[in-house]
Amino acid sequence: GPRYHSRRRLDLRTLATVFGIFLIATLVSVSAAAAERRLALVIGIDNYHSISKLEKATGDASAMASALEGLGFEVTKVLDADGLQLNIAIADFTARLTRDDVAFVHFSGHGVEIDGDNFLLPADIPTPTGGSKDVVKYEAVGLRRLIAQIGATDARTKLFVVDACRD
């Protein structure tokens, strides 16, 4: 079954975050002229109920939200969300997207790869057991599904940043 491991986040991660914000600013400035709105969904989860807690995911998400607000984004920030809260936030965000919007999604937290698919783990994901592979598939947010869901909107530009601790 899947196992979840926490890894220590290094200063290299901070450098990557700064580079990511620079890249986002560059991409947004290129497409901003035609965009009606800039919308961002920023998710950070530190406080997992059954698996190892993280130390910097919510802080990274808050820093990203602030940077995006500085670039003119309307930011929905979701911290330490359980599965239901996470799915509601994604559905609400997707429903708000209209033609020519810039859609930005950021996730910081635990992730896992199962059978070639990546999953973003909500705070209430259960502790893995022998048969938990299917439970994780149903209870987590499939990255492929999330990208397809946002991709199916009329948003002109779609950006995803996934900063997931995974094995």
Side-chain angles (χ1 to χ4, degrees):
R3 294 181 321 174
Y4 314 115
H5 294 287
S6 178
R7 64 175 162 76
R8 200 174 259 176
R9 296 178 189 251
L10 306 172
D11 289 332
L12 183 58
R13 177 189 159 108
T14 303
L15 179 62
T17 301
V18 170
F19 176 74
I21 292 171
F22 173 76
L23 179 62
I24 293 161
T26 303
L27 290 171
V28 169
S29 66
V30 169
S31 65
E36 293 178 10
R37 295 179 305 164
R38 299 175 190 174
L39 300 174
L41 175 61
V42 178
I43 302 160
I45 303 174
D46 277 335
N47 294 314
Y48 286 90
H49 304 177
S50 299
I51 60 175
S52 61
K53 295 181 187 294
L54 297 174
E55 295 177 7
K56 297 182 180 180
T58 58
D60 291 348
S62 292
M64 181 65 78
S66 294
L68 291 168
E69 287 170 346
L71 294 170
F73 277 83
E74 296 173 36
V75 176
T76 300
K77 183 169 63 171
V78 180
L79 301 178
D80 292 327
D82 64 25
L84 180 59
Q85 293 165 331
L86 197 52
N87 281 305
I88 289 171
I90 292 167
D92 288 348
F93 177 74
T94 304
R96 293 181 58 212
L97 295 173
T98 61
R99 178 174 296 290
D100 294 330
D101 286 348
V102 173
F104 182 92
V105 178
H106 171 90
F107 176 85
S108 290
H110 277 298
V112 66
E113 185 271 336
I114 300 173
D115 298 332
D117 285 328
N118 291 288
F119 297 87
L120 310 178
L121 304 183
D124 63 343
I125 197 77
T127 302
T129 61
S132 67
K133 184 164 90 168
D134 287 335
V135 172
V136 171
K137 286 182 178 181
Y138 296 125
E139 297 297 322
V141 174
L143 183 58
R144 184 178 296 171
R145 176 184 62 88
L146 176 62
I147 291 171
Q149 189 174 347
I150 302 295
T153 69
D154 287 335
R156 177 183 304 266
T157 305
K158 300 149 188 114
L159 303 166
F160 298 85
V161 174
V162 177
D163 179 14
C165 291
R166 54 175 242 148
D167 60 14

